Amino acid sequence: MKRMFAIPSAILVAAATLWVAPATAAPPPGTQLSGAIFTTDASGVPVNLNIYDAKEDVYLNGGPGINAPDDAAGLPAGTYSFQVTDPSGKVLLSSDAVACRQFTVNDSGVIQDTSPSGACAHATGLDGEDGGATVQLFPYADTPNNGGVYKVWVTPTEKLDCNGNGNKNCFVPRYSKTDNFKVRSDMIVEIDVRFWKNGVAMDGYAATWVDTNGAHNIKYSEWNPAVLAFHEAHFEATEEGTHSIHVASQPGCSITAVAAPDGSAARVRGGTAMVPVTVADHTEGDHTYWVDVACK
């Protein structure tokens, strides 16, 4: 049920599986941090559906984003902290001190090292694609979530605020990027965003996901059958509750219409659109929530 190419009537274009590269893609407006984070293995290789065999296998990666255009921005240079929680952010699963969960980002926007953490720093690997470091998330406890979902948070260390409004263990959602993953749980629940132009599915285009806590991340549409990516920007293991997807016109894609998962048309204003997506409990079974964007 996952890989269907029919486009809702709100988009009014034919399905296709061709590829068109964007001229120069830009992230949608309104994001507080440029770049993206994502979970991988130690080598930086994307893991199918963000589902891992063991908690020790999950590593953090960062930068412009997987399959982002060459000119896409990475994370701003600086020092960052991370945590692993349940999807709500209320249950801290990371079991060591936040001082041990730090890394630096260099001027190219990728993770450089874990030197700010000193002797208790997490293990690292090397991303063979961008030359940056990957950071092991372990140690952390098992998630209490009945769908087996974990959430990793990243925020600039200087933005940690234990008194901040709505903070999650001192991580303030509006300053944070998040990504979800699962361990030994094969239920597929995801939000996928596709960009269409003249009936052609386009790769390298940015969509922003705002999770149920108000934290965000950016992914790019891609063609990568090895990880079941067929011209979509993937947001994997999205937790139960209401999320939102934000899209904006980018070079090569002036947005004309956006279809929500229920087939209704989202309002497009000034080349931008926001689509609310309500995700069901994972115990209800596999589900892909499609957001389709028509471009001219």
Side-chain angles (χ1 to χ4, degrees), residues 130-147:
D130 62 25
T134 58
V135 181
Q136 188 180 43
L137 298 182
F138 195 78
Y140 54 94
D142 291 345
T143 181
N145 177 259
N146 62 5

Side-chain angles (χ1 to χ4, degrees), residues 1 146-147 182 185-190 237-238 279-289:
M1 72 97 182
N146 62 5
K182 292 188 172 188
S185 175
D186 58 3
M187 193 70 66
I188 300 170
V189 180
E190 61 188 353
T238 46
V279 174
D281 190 308
H282 287 215
T283 60
E284 295 186 11
D286 294 352
H287 202 116
T288 297
Y289 298 86

Side-chain angles (χ1 to χ4, degrees), residues 130-201:
D130 62 25
T134 58
V135 181
Q136 188 180 43
L137 298 182
F138 195 78
Y140 54 94
D142 291 345
T143 181
N145 177 259
N146 62 5
V149 180
Y150 297 80
K151 186 180 291 287
V152 59
W153 302 64
V154 167
T155 195
T157 299
E158 65 181 11
K159 293 292 189 182
L160 294 177
D161 184 356
C162 298
N163 298 313
N165 185 36
N167 81 85
K168 308 294 186 180
N169 318 298
C170 304
F171 285 67
V172 180
R174 69 178 179 275
Y175 300 135
S176 301
K177 287 189 176 291
T178 58
D179 196 23
N180 289 5
F181 63 94
K182 292 188 172 188
V183 178
R184 298 185 299 275
S185 175
D186 58 3
M187 193 70 66
I188 300 170
V189 180
E190 61 188 353
I191 302 171
D192 284 352
V193 185
R194 301 179 290 192
F195 293 82
W196 301 90
K197 187 174 184 178
N198 298 324
V200 176

Side-chain angles (χ1 to χ4, degrees), residues 184-277:
R184 298 185 299 275
S185 175
D186 58 3
M187 193 70 66
I188 300 170
V189 180
E190 61 188 353
I191 302 171
D192 284 352
V193 185
R194 301 179 290 192
F195 293 82
W196 301 90
K197 187 174 184 178
N198 298 324
V200 176
M202 303 193 298
D203 294 338
Y205 283 83
T208 296
W209 163 58
V210 180
D211 70 10
T212 59
N213 303 289
H216 67 281
N217 205 4
I218 298 174
K219 296 293 178 69
Y220 292 82
S221 55
E222 60 172 328
W223 173 263
N224 186 355
V227 295
L228 301 182
F230 301 94
H231 306 300
E232 305 103 355
H234 284 288
F235 299 99
E236 306 283 13
T238 46
E239 69 269 15
E240 178 183 3
T242 300
H243 307 250
S244 62
I245 296 296
H246 298 249
V247 292
S249 293
Q250 301 161 56
C253 172
S254 295
I255 294 176
T256 59
V258 179
D262 64 2
S264 64
R267 178 176 294 180
V268 179
R269 285 184 171 180
T272 67
M274 186 281 288
V275 181
V277 180

